[in-house]
Amino acid sequence: MEEREKFMREAIRLSIENVTSGNGGPFGCVIVKNGEVIARGVNNVTSHNDPTAHAEVTAIRNACKELGTFQLDDCEIYTSCEPCPMCLGAIYWARPSKMFYANTKKDAADIEFDDDFIYKEMELPYEDRKLPTSQMLRDEALEAFKTWTNSQNKIEY
């Protein structure tokens, strides 16, 4: 367990350093494989003008580049805060073996990083959401899915 605490402390250190450097929000993440940190990530939303540049997404991108793969098999993710809906989705898509977090989503909400509205919006029918959403050109778009289904060159994930 002591080794896991070391990795979490690194994620926490990154989160603090990110704030003190003025780089971005108080979030850090490390990805570990075979007992070694293979990637790190911090919140770069404001410094990169990228709303998807959360610590977990950044760390996943860095780890996949380092490993030369799109999945994080046999990896563990240590994040300084319970992931937001976007990051949690990215973590599931990356398929690590385990995830550990420090601060809770309530802790984040207490300092005005509140994702609860997203969770609530996702449960609503499209017509009741704050973001106007309409489906269009489904028949045309299905062509890509048919092409995928019939492709001999696809790499399934």
Side-chain angles (χ1 to χ4, degrees), residues 11-28 42-43 46:
I12 293 167
R13 183 194 69 75
L14 289 169
S15 70
I16 294 167
E17 181 182 271
N18 204 49
V19 174
T20 58
S21 71
N23 188 57
F27 305 99
V42 294
N43 179 285
T46 56

Side-chain angles (χ1 to χ4, degrees), residues 1-150:
M1 189 56 99
E2 189 173 301
E3 187 173 66
R4 287 185 173 155
E5 289 177 359
K6 176 181 80 170
F7 298 135
M8 183 58 76
R9 284 190 177 100
E10 174 63 3
I12 293 167
R13 183 194 69 75
L14 289 169
S15 70
I16 294 167
E17 181 182 271
N18 204 49
V19 174
T20 58
S21 71
N23 188 57
F27 305 99
C29 181
V30 297
I31 298 179
V32 174
K33 185 167 186 168
N34 299 325
E36 291 187 33
V37 174
I38 59 164
R40 291 171 172 80
V42 294
N43 179 285
N44 292 314
V45 170
T46 56
S47 60
H48 292 181
N49 294 320
D50 180 354
T52 68
H54 289 199
E56 297 90 342
V57 171
T58 302
I60 289 168
R61 290 173 180 159
N62 292 340
C64 288
K65 185 175 182 180
E66 177 69 24
L67 295 173
T69 183
F70 56 86
Q71 291 184 333
L72 299 178
D73 297 328
D74 302 319
C75 291
E76 296 178 346
I77 294 183
Y78 295 81
T79 182
S80 66
C81 187
E82 188 174 358
C84 75
M86 177 186 67
C87 292
L88 187 58
I91 289 166
Y92 270 95
W93 278 114
R95 295 177 174 88
S97 60
K98 291 185 175 118
M99 177 183 74
F100 303 92
Y101 67 91
N103 290 318
T104 67
K105 60 185 176 183
K106 183 184 179 320
D107 296 331
D110 288 346
I111 62 164
E112 299 185 14
F113 285 94
D114 191 355
D115 301 320
D116 193 48
F117 79 97
I118 298 172
Y119 287 107
K120 289 178 180 172
E121 283 280 302
M122 289 169 49
E123 294 175 2
L124 295 173
Y126 289 116
E127 60 271 11
D128 294 336
R129 294 182 184 178
K130 289 184 174 66
L131 177 65
T133 304
S134 302
Q135 184 180 25
M136 56 188 291
L137 300 178
R138 178 176 178 258
D139 291 338
E140 290 180 35
L142 282 172
E143 186 62 34
F145 286 7
K146 290 174 189 171
T147 302
W148 169 262
T149 300
N150 297 324

